[in-house]
Amino acid sequence: TREIEPALNDLLLDAEKGDEVWIITPYATMNRLSSLKRTISGASSNGAKISFVVRDETDQVNPAKTHLKEAIDNGLKVYAFRRLHAKVYWFENTASIITSANLVDGSFESSTEIGLLIEAGKLHDEIREWIENVIKPGLRSLSTTNSRKVSTSKSKTIIASTFGFCIRCDTSIN
């Protein structure tokens, strides 16, 4: 249990610009996991392409978006997946962790958890195939802060959002 969070932090710290990272966990309230939140934000800021997937339920989506706001502002992509139960942390060039631990305080403070670190190789590649074939088709985007510069003049910059969200149900809209 005590080795999972430091292993995640180390793998995030090793993620380089352009590296693909998948953080898949149904529950991510992370109230007291401030070190991990900062590391996720830092890796996003440094150019790692991080996709963060939570269970598609309002009581999971909203805390994830709240606790990861800084990382989202730094480029983190947040998604929801219906009936998600898997906990998989995949790092393109280094390793994967498959674990029982969600990214909630209790997983690291009071639960007995187990995790398996899988170094880059055949099984690591098969996990990426699982992400491509099982997870990606069921994703709903939650990242609503992405925008792109449309035009610039001496007096103003116009920003156009690439997508928005419904203020009533929080569903993403292209």
Side-chain angles (χ1 to χ4, degrees), residues 93-119:
N93 295 313
T94 51
S96 303
I97 297 175
I98 297 179
T99 180
S100 60
N102 291 293
L103 293 185
V104 298
D105 303 322
S107 288
F108 301 104
E109 294 173 353
S110 57
S111 295
T112 300
E113 304 285 357
I114 189 167
L116 178 63
L117 179 75
I118 300 163
E119 294 184 3

Side-chain angles (χ1 to χ4, degrees), residues 33 41 44 68 70 79 86 102 107 125 128-129 140 159 164:
L33 297 175
S41 182
S44 293
L68 295 167
E70 181 181 335
Y79 301 95
N102 291 293
S107 288
D125 294 343
R128 179 59 181 90
E129 287 177 28
R140 178 173 71 89
I159 302 294

Side-chain angles (χ1 to χ4, degrees), residues 28-115:
T29 51
M30 300 189 296
N31 291 319
R32 293 183 300 276
L33 297 175
S34 56
S35 174
L36 189 57
K37 287 187 284 192
R38 280 192 307 272
T39 307
I40 291 169
S41 182
S44 293
S45 178
N46 290 336
K49 297 183 291 186
I50 304 176
S51 297
F52 196 105
V53 183
V54 296
R55 190 176 180 111
D56 199 355
E57 295 174 357
T58 303
D59 58 343
Q60 302 313 317
V61 166
N62 290 339
K65 286 172 42 177
T66 298
H67 290 290
L68 295 167
K69 182 177 179 347
E70 181 181 335
I72 292 168
D73 291 344
N74 288 333
L76 176 79
K77 304 288 187 225
V78 182
Y79 301 95
F81 188 91
R82 191 170 174 265
R83 300 189 49 83
L84 180 66
H85 190 68
K87 292 77 145 182
V88 176
Y89 309 100
W90 188 89
F91 300 82
E92 181 176 9
N93 295 313
T94 51
S96 303
I97 297 175
I98 297 179
T99 180
S100 60
N102 291 293
L103 293 185
V104 298
D105 303 322
S107 288
F108 301 104
E109 294 173 353
S110 57
S111 295
T112 300
E113 304 285 357
I114 189 167

